[in-house]
Amino acid sequence: MRKVYIVVVLLGLVAIVGNHLISPSSGRAMSPEDFAGACAPCGAPCPSKK
């Protein structure tokens, strides 16, 4: 029974890694300069700078 659990966990890990590797990228790589003047990590502008 222990071998069955090991096989199931390994198959799950392979599925997760495989899905990660074949998924499309989000576009281009981001640089810190893209967020210059932004308050939030998503790049939203500061409300005080409007």
Side-chain angles (χ1 to χ4, degrees), residues 4-39:
V4 173
Y5 288 128
I6 292 172
V7 169
V8 169
V9 169
L10 288 177
L11 287 176
L13 289 175
V14 167
I16 292 170
V17 170
N19 184 27
H20 173 72
L21 292 177
I22 65 170
S23 64
S25 66
S26 62
R28 63 181 182 86
M30 303 297 282
S31 67
E33 290 83 25
D34 293 338
F35 299 116
C39 290

